[in-house]
Amino acid sequence: MQKLRAATIEQKRVIPAKPAEVYRVIADPEIHSAFTGARATGRARKGAKFTAWDGYIMGKTLIAEPGERLVQEWWTTGWPEDSTPSRLEWKFKKHPRATRASLKQTGVPEPQAKY
């Protein structure tokens, strides 16, 4: 059996909100659910498990620095069964009247990276 190649996804955006607010939308399951319209569970605490998008996404929080950084193991039900978790890192920096948010996800199964 051939091992799937892993891809990296990187995105940067300026969001018109404070870093703490952007962090909460991602990390707080009630706010995340209201924002996306899909159920999320768990809390952003080191070692805590979470789900998002009605259970399609699941993982574990590795580092939680409110308003600054969030690092998680992350995978989906759409990934091949033998996939290992990816590593997703969010960073939040103050920007004039906004937040510069950067996302880097490594270890994504290559066929899934375009999604």
Side-chain angles (χ1 to χ4, degrees), residues 10-45:
E10 292 188 77
Q11 295 185 9
K12 294 181 181 181
R13 298 287 186 270
V14 174
I15 301 169
K18 294 177 183 179
E21 294 168 336
V22 177
Y23 180 93
R24 276 195 308 273
V25 168
I26 295 166
D28 182 288
E30 289 90 24
I31 297 171
H32 189 93
S33 296
F35 183 75
T36 64
R39 187 167 187 265
T41 65
R43 294 279 177 203
R45 292 190 182 108

mmCIF file of all heavy atoms in Angstrom, residues 10-45:
data_model
loop_
_atom_site.group_PDB
_atom_site.id
_atom_site.type_symbol
_atom_site.label_atom_id
_atom_site.label_comp_id
_atom_site.label_asym_id
_atom_site.label_seq_id
_atom_site.Cartn_x
_atom_site.Cartn_y
_atom_site.Cartn_z
ATOM 1 N N GLU A 10 -1.647 27.105 3.937
ATOM 2 C CA GLU A 10 -1.337 28.347 4.644
ATOM 3 C C GLU A 10 -2.252 29.448 4.138
ATOM 4 O O GLU A 10 -2.465 29.577 2.934
ATOM 5 C CB GLU A 10 0.116 28.765 4.418
ATOM 6 C CG GLU A 10 1.104 27.813 5.073
ATOM 7 C CD GLU A 10 2.529 28.323 5.006
ATOM 8 O OE1 GLU A 10 2.858 29.230 5.799
ATOM 9 O OE2 GLU A 10 3.279 27.815 4.160
ATOM 10 N N GLN A 11 -2.792 30.226 5.075
ATOM 11 C CA GLN A 11 -3.647 31.355 4.733
ATOM 12 C C GLN A 11 -3.375 32.489 5.710
ATOM 13 O O GLN A 11 -3.100 32.243 6.893
ATOM 14 C CB GLN A 11 -5.125 30.980 4.803
ATOM 15 C CG GLN A 11 -5.542 29.961 3.795
ATOM 16 C CD GLN A 11 -7.042 29.701 3.832
ATOM 17 O OE1 GLN A 11 -7.797 30.385 4.496
ATOM 18 N NE2 GLN A 11 -7.463 28.701 3.091
ATOM 19 N N LYS A 12 -3.478 33.714 5.233
ATOM 20 C CA LYS A 12 -3.362 34.907 6.078
ATOM 21 C C LYS A 12 -4.479 35.853 5.681
ATOM 22 O O LYS A 12 -4.742 36.043 4.495
ATOM 23 C CB LYS A 12 -2.005 35.579 5.894
ATOM 24 C CG LYS A 12 -0.861 34.734 6.392
ATOM 25 C CD LYS A 12 0.458 35.423 6.230
ATOM 26 C CE LYS A 12 1.548 34.481 6.740
ATOM 27 N NZ LYS A 12 2.869 35.070 6.645
ATOM 28 N N ARG A 13 -5.121 36.421 6.684
ATOM 29 C CA ARG A 13 -6.219 37.356 6.435
ATOM 30 C C ARG A 13 -6.198 38.444 7.497
ATOM 31 O O ARG A 13 -5.815 38.208 8.639
ATOM 32 C CB ARG A 13 -7.582 36.660 6.514
ATOM 33 C CG ARG A 13 -7.825 35.566 5.505
ATOM 34 C CD ARG A 13 -8.062 36.146 4.112
ATOM 35 N NE ARG A 13 -8.426 35.127 3.171
ATOM 36 C CZ ARG A 13 -7.574 34.435 2.420
ATOM 37 N NH1 ARG A 13 -6.290 34.636 2.545
ATOM 38 N NH2 ARG A 13 -8.002 33.526 1.560
ATOM 39 N N VAL A 14 -6.687 39.611 7.127
ATOM 40 C CA VAL A 14 -6.931 40.683 8.088
ATOM 41 C C VAL A 14 -8.420 40.680 8.358
ATOM 42 O O VAL A 14 -9.235 40.736 7.426
ATOM 43 C CB VAL A 14 -6.449 42.043 7.551
ATOM 44 C CG1 VAL A 14 -6.843 43.159 8.504
ATOM 45 C CG2 VAL A 14 -4.935 42.026 7.352
ATOM 46 N N ILE A 15 -8.780 40.578 9.636
ATOM 47 C CA ILE A 15 -10.177 40.452 10.042
ATOM 48 C C ILE A 15 -10.534 41.664 10.909
ATOM 49 O O ILE A 15 -9.817 41.957 11.870
ATOM 50 C CB ILE A 15 -10.392 39.135 10.827
ATOM 51 C CG1 ILE A 15 -10.001 37.942 9.935
ATOM 52 C CG2 ILE A 15 -11.834 39.017 11.307
ATOM 53 C CD1 ILE A 15 -9.906 36.629 10.662
ATOM 54 N N PRO A 16 -11.625 42.362 10.608
ATOM 55 C CA PRO A 16 -11.974 43.582 11.337
ATOM 56 C C PRO A 16 -12.573 43.306 12.717
ATOM 57 O O PRO A 16 -13.751 43.533 12.976
ATOM 58 C CB PRO A 16 -12.977 44.270 10.408
ATOM 59 C CG PRO A 16 -13.629 43.141 9.685
ATOM 60 C CD PRO A 16 -12.545 42.108 9.497
ATOM 61 N N ALA A 17 -11.744 42.778 13.610
ATOM 62 C CA ALA A 17 -12.130 42.492 14.991
ATOM 63 C C ALA A 17 -10.853 42.385 15.815
ATOM 64 O O ALA A 17 -9.764 42.231 15.260
ATOM 65 C CB ALA A 17 -12.918 41.187 15.066
ATOM 66 N N LYS A 18 -10.978 42.448 17.125
ATOM 67 C CA LYS A 18 -9.826 42.320 18.017
ATOM 68 C C LYS A 18 -9.349 40.869 18.047
ATOM 69 O O LYS A 18 -10.154 39.940 17.885
ATOM 70 C CB LYS A 18 -10.208 42.757 19.433
ATOM 71 C CG LYS A 18 -10.540 44.222 19.525
ATOM 72 C CD LYS A 18 -10.979 44.575 20.933
ATOM 73 C CE LYS A 18 -11.382 46.039 20.996
ATOM 74 N NZ LYS A 18 -11.837 46.409 22.337
ATOM 75 N N PRO A 19 -8.040 40.647 18.297
ATOM 76 C CA PRO A 19 -7.517 39.272 18.354
ATOM 77 C C PRO A 19 -8.296 38.357 19.309
ATOM 78 O O PRO A 19 -8.585 37.204 18.969
ATOM 79 C CB PRO A 19 -6.071 39.447 18.802
ATOM 80 C CG PRO A 19 -5.685 40.787 18.270
ATOM 81 C CD PRO A 19 -6.946 41.617 18.429
ATOM 82 N N ALA A 20 -8.665 38.853 20.474
ATOM 83 C CA ALA A 20 -9.409 38.024 21.433
ATOM 84 C C ALA A 20 -10.764 37.608 20.878
ATOM 85 O O ALA A 20 -11.231 36.493 21.127
ATOM 86 C CB ALA A 20 -9.579 38.761 22.755
ATOM 87 N N GLU A 21 -11.409 38.486 20.113
ATOM 88 C CA GLU A 21 -12.709 38.159 19.523
ATOM 89 C C GLU A 21 -12.578 37.107 18.431
ATOM 90 O O GLU A 21 -13.381 36.177 18.358
ATOM 91 C CB GLU A 21 -13.355 39.423 18.948
ATOM 92 C CG GLU A 21 -13.724 40.446 19.999
ATOM 93 C CD GLU A 21 -14.093 41.804 19.420
ATOM 94 O OE1 GLU A 21 -13.664 42.131 18.290
ATOM 95 O OE2 GLU A 21 -14.808 42.543 20.111
ATOM 96 N N VAL A 22 -11.562 37.241 17.583
ATOM 97 C CA VAL A 22 -11.343 36.260 16.515
ATOM 98 C C VAL A 22 -11.034 34.898 17.135
ATOM 99 O O VAL A 22 -11.577 33.869 16.713
ATOM 100 C CB VAL A 22 -10.205 36.709 15.571
ATOM 101 C CG1 VAL A 22 -9.934 35.652 14.511
ATOM 102 C CG2 VAL A 22 -10.543 38.041 14.924
ATOM 103 N N TYR A 23 -10.197 34.886 18.151
ATOM 104 C CA TYR A 23 -9.854 33.645 18.852
ATOM 105 C C TYR A 23 -11.117 32.971 19.387
ATOM 106 O O TYR A 23 -11.309 31.774 19.225
ATOM 107 C CB TYR A 23 -8.873 33.954 19.985
ATOM 108 C CG TYR A 23 -8.436 32.750 20.776
ATOM 109 C CD1 TYR A 23 -7.286 32.060 20.429
ATOM 110 C CD2 TYR A 23 -9.158 32.304 21.875
ATOM 111 C CE1 TYR A 23 -6.859 30.945 21.153
ATOM 112 C CE2 TYR A 23 -8.753 31.206 22.600
ATOM 113 C CZ TYR A 23 -7.604 30.526 22.234
ATOM 114 O OH TYR A 23 -7.200 29.424 22.955
ATOM 115 N N ARG A 24 -11.984 33.760 20.044
ATOM 116 C CA ARG A 24 -13.203 33.178 20.632
ATOM 117 C C ARG A 24 -14.121 32.561 19.583
ATOM 118 O O ARG A 24 -14.734 31.522 19.827
ATOM 119 C CB ARG A 24 -13.966 34.238 21.438
ATOM 120 C CG ARG A 24 -13.444 34.387 22.842
ATOM 121 C CD ARG A 24 -14.399 35.160 23.756
ATOM 122 N NE ARG A 24 -14.810 36.441 23.220
ATOM 123 C CZ ARG A 24 -14.149 37.579 23.380
ATOM 124 N NH1 ARG A 24 -13.015 37.602 24.041
ATOM 125 N NH2 ARG A 24 -14.625 38.699 22.866
ATOM 126 N N VAL A 25 -14.233 33.165 18.410
ATOM 127 C CA VAL A 25 -15.086 32.602 17.354
ATOM 128 C C VAL A 25 -14.595 31.219 16.953
ATOM 129 O O VAL A 25 -15.388 30.320 16.665
ATOM 130 C CB VAL A 25 -15.142 33.546 16.127
ATOM 131 C CG1 VAL A 25 -15.780 32.859 14.928
ATOM 132 C CG2 VAL A 25 -15.906 34.813 16.475
ATOM 133 N N ILE A 26 -13.293 31.019 16.965
ATOM 134 C CA ILE A 26 -12.720 29.724 16.608
ATOM 135 C C ILE A 26 -12.763 28.751 17.782
ATOM 136 O O ILE A 26 -13.092 27.582 17.608
ATOM 137 C CB ILE A 26 -11.264 29.909 16.118
ATOM 138 C CG1 ILE A 26 -11.272 30.722 14.825
ATOM 139 C CG2 ILE A 26 -10.571 28.567 15.930
ATOM 140 C CD1 ILE A 26 -9.920 31.255 14.438
ATOM 141 N N ALA A 27 -12.456 29.232 18.981
ATOM 142 C CA ALA A 27 -12.228 28.352 20.122
ATOM 143 C C ALA A 27 -13.453 28.046 20.983
ATOM 144 O O ALA A 27 -13.504 26.994 21.619
ATOM 145 C CB ALA A 27 -11.133 28.961 21.008
ATOM 146 N N ASP A 28 -14.424 28.918 21.033
ATOM 147 C CA ASP A 28 -15.600 28.708 21.883
ATOM 148 C C ASP A 28 -16.656 27.952 21.088
ATOM 149 O O ASP A 28 -17.128 28.442 20.055
ATOM 150 C CB ASP A 28 -16.148 30.048 22.360
ATOM 151 C CG ASP A 28 -17.332 29.896 23.283
ATOM 152 O OD1 ASP A 28 -18.426 29.516 22.788
ATOM 153 O OD2 ASP A 28 -17.183 30.153 24.489
ATOM 154 N N PRO A 29 -17.067 26.760 21.532
ATOM 155 C CA PRO A 29 -17.975 25.953 20.717
ATOM 156 C C PRO A 29 -19.349 26.587 20.470
ATOM 157 O O PRO A 29 -19.915 26.415 19.392
ATOM 158 C CB PRO A 29 -18.103 24.637 21.486
ATOM 159 C CG PRO A 29 -17.713 24.963 22.881
ATOM 160 C CD PRO A 29 -16.717 26.083 22.788
ATOM 161 N N GLU A 30 -19.879 27.335 21.440
ATOM 162 C CA GLU A 30 -21.179 27.966 21.219
ATOM 163 C C GLU A 30 -21.081 29.069 20.162
ATOM 164 O O GLU A 30 -21.922 29.160 19.262
ATOM 165 C CB GLU A 30 -21.750 28.533 22.530
ATOM 166 C CG GLU A 30 -22.204 27.457 23.501
ATOM 167 C CD GLU A 30 -21.093 27.015 24.453
ATOM 168 O OE1 GLU A 30 -20.139 27.790 24.689
ATOM 169 O OE2 GLU A 30 -21.166 25.874 24.943
ATOM 170 N N ILE A 31 -20.053 29.907 20.270
ATOM 171 C CA ILE A 31 -19.875 30.990 19.302
ATOM 172 C C ILE A 31 -19.532 30.405 17.933
ATOM 173 O O ILE A 31 -20.063 30.841 16.908
ATOM 174 C CB ILE A 31 -18.785 31.973 19.784
ATOM 175 C CG1 ILE A 31 -19.217 32.638 21.098
ATOM 176 C CG2 ILE A 31 -18.501 33.027 18.716
ATOM 177 C CD1 ILE A 31 -18.122 33.453 21.762
ATOM 178 N N HIS A 32 -18.651 29.404 17.915
ATOM 179 C CA HIS A 32 -18.265 28.761 16.654
ATOM 180 C C HIS A 32 -19.488 28.156 15.959
ATOM 181 O O HIS A 32 -19.675 28.332 14.750
ATOM 182 C CB HIS A 32 -17.212 27.679 16.928
ATOM 183 C CG HIS A 32 -16.599 27.103 15.699
ATOM 184 N ND1 HIS A 32 -15.437 27.590 15.164
ATOM 185 C CD2 HIS A 32 -16.993 26.097 14.897
ATOM 186 C CE1 HIS A 32 -15.127 26.899 14.083
ATOM 187 N NE2 HIS A 32 -16.063 25.971 13.900
ATOM 188 N N SER A 33 -20.341 27.481 16.729
ATOM 189 C CA SER A 33 -21.559 26.884 16.173
ATOM 190 C C SER A 33 -22.485 27.948 15.591
ATOM 191 O O SER A 33 -23.022 27.778 14.491
ATOM 192 C CB SER A 33 -22.304 26.091 17.244
ATOM 193 O OG SER A 33 -21.549 24.994 17.686
ATOM 194 N N ALA A 34 -22.656 29.047 16.312
ATOM 195 C CA ALA A 34 -23.531 30.118 15.832
ATOM 196 C C ALA A 34 -22.952 30.765 14.567
ATOM 197 O O ALA A 34 -23.693 31.088 13.639
ATOM 198 C CB ALA A 34 -23.718 31.176 16.920
ATOM 199 N N PHE A 35 -21.642 30.913 14.516
ATOM 200 C CA PHE A 35 -20.989 31.550 13.373
ATOM 201 C C PHE A 35 -21.055 30.684 12.117
ATOM 202 O O PHE A 35 -21.324 31.170 11.026
ATOM 203 C CB PHE A 35 -19.533 31.850 13.743
ATOM 204 C CG PHE A 35 -18.756 32.566 12.681
ATOM 205 C CD1 PHE A 35 -18.955 33.917 12.453
ATOM 206 C CD2 PHE A 35 -17.827 31.896 11.909
ATOM 207 C CE1 PHE A 35 -18.243 34.587 11.470
ATOM 208 C CE2 PHE A 35 -17.113 32.557 10.925
ATOM 209 C CZ PHE A 35 -17.319 33.912 10.704
ATOM 210 N N THR A 36 -20.832 29.372 12.271
ATOM 211 C CA THR A 36 -20.767 28.481 11.107
ATOM 212 C C THR A 36 -22.112 27.843 10.756
ATOM 213 O O THR A 36 -22.295 27.359 9.642
ATOM 214 C CB THR A 36 -19.759 27.337 11.330
ATOM 215 O OG1 THR A 36 -20.210 26.512 12.417
ATOM 216 C CG2 THR A 36 -18.366 27.869 11.608
ATOM 217 N N GLY A 37 -23.025 27.781 11.738
ATOM 218 C CA GLY A 37 -24.295 27.104 11.508
ATOM 219 C C GLY A 37 -24.197 25.595 11.647
ATOM 220 O O GLY A 37 -25.131 24.872 11.326
ATOM 221 N N ALA A 38 -23.060 25.099 12.126
ATOM 222 C CA ALA A 38 -22.854 23.661 12.336
ATOM 223 C C ALA A 38 -22.344 23.445 13.761
ATOM 224 O O ALA A 38 -21.605 24.268 14.298
ATOM 225 C CB ALA A 38 -21.849 23.110 11.329
ATOM 226 N N ARG A 39 -22.737 22.346 14.371
ATOM 227 C CA ARG A 39 -22.421 22.077 15.776
ATOM 228 C C ARG A 39 -20.916 21.891 15.995
ATOM 229 O O ARG A 39 -20.233 21.210 15.236
ATOM 230 C CB ARG A 39 -23.155 20.818 16.237
ATOM 231 C CG ARG A 39 -23.012 20.562 17.724
ATOM 232 C CD ARG A 39 -23.999 19.494 18.199
ATOM 233 N NE ARG A 39 -23.962 19.381 19.633
ATOM 234 C CZ ARG A 39 -23.223 18.504 20.293
ATOM 235 N NH1 ARG A 39 -22.472 17.639 19.636
ATOM 236 N NH2 ARG A 39 -23.239 18.474 21.611
ATOM 237 N N ALA A 40 -20.423 22.506 17.085
ATOM 238 C CA ALA A 40 -19.044 22.329 17.549
ATOM 239 C C ALA A 40 -19.104 21.951 19.023
ATOM 240 O O ALA A 40 -20.042 22.327 19.735
ATOM 241 C CB ALA A 40 -18.246 23.610 17.365
ATOM 242 N N THR A 41 -18.121 21.186 19.486
ATOM 243 C CA THR A 41 -18.064 20.769 20.888
ATOM 244 C C THR A 41 -16.648 20.963 21.418
ATOM 245 O O THR A 41 -15.702 21.133 20.649
ATOM 246 C CB THR A 41 -18.439 19.289 21.065
ATOM 247 O OG1 THR A 41 -17.439 18.482 20.415
ATOM 248 C CG2 THR A 41 -19.808 18.976 20.495
ATOM 249 N N GLY A 42 -16.507 20.875 22.739
ATOM 250 C CA GLY A 42 -15.197 20.926 23.372
ATOM 251 C C GLY A 42 -14.779 22.337 23.724
ATOM 252 O O GLY A 42 -15.452 23.307 23.413
ATOM 253 N N ARG A 43 -13.653 22.422 24.392
ATOM 254 C CA ARG A 43 -13.078 23.708 24.790
ATOM 255 C C ARG A 43 -11.624 23.756 24.347
ATOM 256 O O ARG A 43 -10.964 22.729 24.265
ATOM 257 C CB ARG A 43 -13.136 23.895 26.302
ATOM 258 C CG ARG A 43 -14.533 24.012 26.845
ATOM 259 C CD ARG A 43 -15.057 25.403 26.664
ATOM 260 N NE ARG A 43 -16.447 25.469 27.130
ATOM 261 C CZ ARG A 43 -17.292 26.364 26.722
ATOM 262 N NH1 ARG A 43 -16.938 27.268 25.856
ATOM 263 N NH2 ARG A 43 -18.517 26.376 27.173
ATOM 264 N N ALA A 44 -11.150 24.952 24.102
ATOM 265 C CA ALA A 44 -9.757 25.131 23.689
ATOM 266 C C ALA A 44 -8.864 25.171 24.927
ATOM 267 O O ALA A 44 -8.452 26.226 25.394
ATOM 268 C CB ALA A 44 -9.602 26.397 22.865
ATOM 269 N N ARG A 45 -8.612 24.000 25.469
ATOM 270 C CA ARG A 45 -7.698 23.823 26.607
ATOM 271 C C ARG A 45 -6.734 22.707 26.264
ATOM 272 O O ARG A 45 -7.119 21.723 25.606
ATOM 273 C CB ARG A 45 -8.480 23.437 27.867
ATOM 274 C CG ARG A 45 -9.356 24.535 28.372
ATOM 275 C CD ARG A 45 -9.918 24.193 29.755
ATOM 276 N NE ARG A 45 -10.788 25.253 30.194
ATOM 277 C CZ ARG A 45 -12.105 25.167 30.269
ATOM 278 N NH1 ARG A 45 -12.719 24.046 29.961
ATOM 279 N NH2 ARG A 45 -12.819 26.191 30.680
#
